[in-house]
Amino acid sequence: KNEVEQSPQNLTAQEGEFITINCSYSVGISALHWLQQHPGGGIVSLFMLSSGKKKHGRLIATINIQEKHSSLHITASHPRDSAVYICAVPLNAGGTSYGKLTFGQGTILTVHP
Amino acid sequence: DVKVTQSSRYLVKRTGEKVFLECVQDMDHENMFWYRQDPGLGLRLIYFSYDVKMKEKGDIPEGYSVSREKKERFSLILESASTNQTSMYLCASSRNGRNYGYTFGSGTRLTVV
């Protein structure tokens, strides 16, 4: 069974700071997801990546398949970035998983003005 | 704009009631999932379906059942609601293949009193 570990669990930053959230997993995977959940809100998919790097606005996600590690970076953080960030990987990687995901525990990010 | 729609945002039910949570997706996705999210436990898979009338148990199916009579609709049923089923319930859908196109609904916060 895949295991997904995120760090840190809680992160507090001042507006404008560069933020990094890390995700490590225990077995080979085909892709990794980064998700965002605002307080009281639903979950939004930020990225799905299987190699290299993806960028969307101030958000950057990287993955190192060999090291089984991914990072989510936020440049020039803003209070509206305050949310829970969750990484997720598909179960039974390489086989027929139907897209079932195993989730990390999430990182609670708070950005102060 | 493609989406997964959950019928209720907030729901309060009494212990012992039969509860239906509805989820509809408009992306013609093959796979649909029900998760629950609890503090400290993260997201856990209750049931999923990879085709009409097909279902498989996830990690925590006890106390729940599901129904998928049409491709676009996946219902979660609490046969006799209990207070330990108070939680945030999230529906998701994905398509087969490496590019899952994973999409989440906004969630239903269920309180059982």
Side-chain angles (χ1 to χ4, degrees):
Chain A
K1 185 175 181 177
N2 292 1
E3 183 176 353
V4 183
E5 296 287 338
Q6 282 185 241
S7 63
Q9 290 188 354
N10 289 278
L11 184 55
T12 301
Q14 289 298 125
E15 185 173 355
E17 285 185 7
F18 181 84
I19 288 163
T20 296
I21 300 169
N22 296 300
C23 178
S24 297
Y25 48 92
S26 57
V27 297
I29 60 169
S30 56
L32 180 143
H33 298 255
W34 280 103
L35 312 169
Q36 179 192 57
Q37 185 177 30
H38 281 101
I43 288 180
V44 174
S45 179
L46 296 175
F47 296 103
M48 186 182 77
L49 66 165
S50 55
S51 65
K53 180 170 76 173
K54 284 190 176 181
K55 185 175 187 290
H56 186 262
R58 294 179 294 105
L59 300 176
I60 303 166
T62 64
I63 189 167
N64 185 318
I65 295 294
Q66 288 74 28
E67 295 186 3
K68 298 184 175 59
H69 181 268
S70 177
S71 294
L72 177 68
H73 306 286
I74 305 175
T75 62
S77 60
H78 189 277
R80 64 175 175 266
D81 297 326
S82 297
V84 178
Y85 293 85
I86 304 167
C87 69
V89 300
L91 292 172
N92 302 322
T96 303
S97 68
Y98 301 112
K100 290 184 288 180
L101 298 179
T102 299
F103 298 86
Q105 290 297 314
T107 296
I108 302 171
L109 171 65
T110 305
V111 181
H112 294 292
Chain B
D1 190 21
V2 294
K3 58 185 177 184
V4 174
T5 302
Q6 293 185 229
S7 55
S8 302
R9 188 74 180 90
Y10 298 95
L11 211 51
V12 180
K13 295 292 182 181
R14 294 194 179 276
T15 301
E17 276 193 75
K18 190 169 186 176
V19 181
F20 293 86
L21 302 183
E22 306 287 345
C23 176
V24 177
Q25 51 98 0
D26 63 1
M27 296 162 285
D28 201 36
H29 282 175
E30 294 86 2
N31 310 314
M32 297 188 75
F33 309 84
W34 275 107
Y35 296 93
R36 65 177 281 178
Q37 185 183 36
D38 300 289
L41 297 175
L43 282 148
R44 294 177 291 167
L45 180 65
I46 306 171
Y47 266 99
F48 74 101
S49 168
Y50 52 90
D51 202 351
V52 175
K53 297 190 185 296
M54 305 302 290
K55 61 185 179 184
E56 285 199 20
K57 294 179 180 179
D59 299 319
I60 50 165
E62 297 78 17
Y64 303 94
S65 62
V66 290
S67 172
R68 193 166 181 201
E69 296 297 318
K70 294 184 179 181
K71 190 175 186 179
E72 67 270 18
R73 185 181 296 270
F74 191 36
S75 303
L76 179 69
I77 304 158
L78 286 65
E79 297 290 343
S80 178
S82 63
T83 54
N84 63 13
Q85 291 178 310
T86 293
S87 186
M88 169 72 91
Y89 290 87
L90 286 152
C91 176
S93 71
S94 75
R95 56 177 174 265
N96 290 331
R98 289 181 63 85
N99 187 10
Y100 299 131
Y102 220 94
T103 306
F104 282 89
S106 295
T108 296
R109 187 165 294 281
L110 172 67
T111 302
V112 182
V113 297

